[in-house]
Amino acid sequence: MRYPEGGGLTAERRAFREGIRLQAGVRFAAGEKTAVIARDLRVSVRSVERWRRAWREGGMEGLRSAGPANSPIVTDAQFAVLEEELGKGPSAHGFDDERWTLARVQTVIRRRLRVSLSVATVWRLLKRHGWSWQAPARRALERDEHAVEVEEGGVAAGKSLAAASGAWIVFEDEAGFSMTPPRARTWGRRGHTPVIRVRGRSRRRTSVAALCCYKPGDKSRLIHRPRTHLLLKGARKSFSWKDYRDLLVRAHIQLDGPIVVVWDNLNTHLAAGLKRYEAEHDWLTTIRLPAYAPDLNPVEAVWSLVRRAMANTAFATPDDLDRILRRELRRIQIRPHLIDGCLTATSLAINPPTPP
């Protein structure tokens, strides 16, 4: 390895280069020409010229290694302080937006740790401690983090209830898909932006309600129900509480067991008819997610998988949109490990009940 993790030459490499310079010093004393020495030692002519000047000024001692460079370092204890400062966010340090750039981190290091580092050294420092350049996730200002922690406990309780009673724990969410596909990066000639032709006047939109179903000892399942928006005056453009009821009944039949449903506080989920239906059927239990906490719902990751597969796809007709939607959802259905991965992305886990 030429450079260690912290930058600079290793001790072995410094000794090797010192040997090369000392060989050049012996040949300087013998009166050999610079070009000949550079060719035999396989180095540049400019390096040999620089060594010759050092040899003239200090002899053979002038060619010896001066040891490792005494560049400023940041210890692990100092980096812990730096991480705490970075965790406060850029706005806490007087910056206008929430972007940590290398130059800004360099400024915080100089202000807080009283150490001057180059931008390249800052990059190596962050990389060595597990930091990377990332796109941030959005989070609503209205989100109550304390409520999220409390509700996570409620979700965990629901999972324990499902495991103890032999029920399935089912996460529900809905999403809409239009004729305009999601955009994704693609290769193109510099200066010529790639163009995707899409239908500009189509208002066709398809909504999908999906259930991610988990139970210890069984393969994870994905159950979904599409709804096409009719372009008629007064036609409903979203799922009704009866649609959700029918979806839950369908899940109960397919899963062949009781279910514990975890979903958000959408007004349709809180409909009186749906609550009445739940009270009348002991196989159905519902648990509410906290407000503005989509990261606790694995179905959100399902939508990400579907949109990623549909990116840059030009839909010619509404039937193309429906066909590709069915294909991508089916692709996830037959791969239970993808459904498990969606649950893993929420940092939640469903454990089997402990024996008495």
Side-chain angles (χ1 to χ4, degrees):
M1 181 176 63
R2 180 180 179 184
Y3 294 107
E5 194 174 12
L9 295 173
T10 61
E12 294 79 5
R13 194 65 182 175
R14 286 197 304 272
F16 173 78
R17 291 194 173 189
E18 182 184 63
I20 296 293
R21 292 193 298 270
L22 293 178
Q23 292 180 41
V26 173
R27 303 181 72 163
F28 293 155
E32 296 188 25
K33 294 183 178 180
T34 299
V36 176
I37 298 174
R39 184 186 66 242
D40 293 346
L41 299 182
R42 302 179 65 180
V43 296
S44 67
V45 173
R46 295 186 63 179
S47 296
V48 177
E49 291 175 347
R50 186 173 65 252
W51 298 344
R52 189 184 290 274
R53 287 194 297 270
W55 175 75
R56 287 172 179 169
E57 295 174 0
M60 296 296 288
E61 291 299 323
L63 299 175
R64 295 192 179 277
S65 173
N70 294 324
S71 58
I73 61 173
V74 175
T75 64
D76 291 342
Q78 289 177 313
F79 190 82
V81 175
L82 175 62
E83 275 194 313
E84 183 179 352
E85 294 297 325
L86 297 181
K88 297 177 182 178
S91 58
H93 293 272
F95 300 110
D96 296 333
D97 53 59
E98 295 296 320
R99 290 183 306 133
W100 276 125
T101 63
L102 293 176
R104 291 180 175 183
V105 176
Q106 181 188 40
T107 301
V108 174
I109 293 174
R110 185 173 62 252
R111 291 175 179 173
R112 187 67 178 82
L113 304 182
R114 304 297 181 184
V115 177
S116 297
L117 300 179
S118 66
V119 172
T121 304
V122 172
W123 180 87
R124 288 195 296 268
L125 176 68
L126 296 176
K127 195 79 171 178
R128 185 165 66 247
H129 286 84
W131 286 61
S132 61
W133 181 255
Q134 304 176 29
R138 290 192 179 98
R139 184 158 291 178
L141 290 172
E142 298 86 351
R143 174 178 168 126
D144 186 348
E145 295 296 340
H146 176 69
V148 169
E149 294 178 3
V150 173
E151 291 293 340
E152 280 190 8
V155 172
K159 291 185 296 184
S160 300
L161 171 63
S165 61
W168 288 77
I169 182 162
V170 176
F171 293 86
E172 189 279 336
D173 194 45
E174 55 284 322
F177 300 87
S178 67
M179 294 286 290
T180 303
R183 289 188 298 175
R185 293 180 180 269
T186 182
W187 285 100
R189 185 180 176 186
R190 184 174 299 173
H192 297 269
T193 303
V195 176
I196 301 172
R197 302 292 180 182
V198 299
R199 298 185 67 88
R201 295 185 178 180
S202 177
R203 294 183 296 163
R204 171 67 180 271
R205 185 177 178 85
T206 299
S207 296
V208 181
L211 305 174
C212 281
C213 313
Y214 303 95
K215 182 180 178 181
D218 289 73
K219 289 184 178 179
S220 301
R221 305 278 292 275
L222 174 65
I223 301 174
H224 61 88
R225 182 186 185 93
R227 178 186 177 88
T228 301
H229 297 180
L230 300 177
L231 300 180
L232 299 177
K233 187 176 181 180
R236 188 180 180 90
K237 296 184 179 180
S238 61
F239 288 94
S240 67
W241 74 266
K242 294 183 180 180
D243 293 324
Y244 290 115
R245 178 201 61 190
D246 296 342
L247 178 61
L248 297 179
V249 171
R250 177 180 172 184
H252 174 54
I253 295 173
Q254 291 190 16
L255 300 175
D256 191 23
I259 60 177
V260 177
V261 182
V262 183
W263 54 15
D264 56 26
N265 292 284
L266 184 69
N267 56 355
T268 312
H269 297 163
L270 304 176
L274 198 55
K275 289 184 177 180
R276 185 168 56 252
Y277 184 83
E278 176 188 354
E280 295 172 353
H281 296 81
D282 56 0
W283 57 265
L284 176 61
T285 304
T286 60
I287 297 177
R288 311 295 176 188
L289 285 171
Y292 303 101
D295 51 304
L296 299 180
N297 196 334
V299 187
E300 294 287 350
V302 172
W303 303 141
S304 297
L305 292 174
V306 173
R307 289 192 171 94
R308 188 181 309 168
M310 295 172 57
N312 297 354
T313 302
F315 304 113
T317 64
D319 291 338
D320 288 340
L321 171 62
D322 295 339
R323 176 179 54 82
I324 293 178
L325 265 176
R326 289 193 301 269
R327 183 193 68 190
E328 295 305 323
L329 289 170
R330 177 58 181 167
R331 181 179 65 86
I332 299 173
Q333 280 182 319
I334 62 178
R335 292 171 172 82
H337 68 277
L338 292 180
I339 308 174
D340 292 335
C342 294
L343 179 65
T344 304
T346 65
S347 299
L348 300 174
I350 298 178
N351 300 318
T354 56

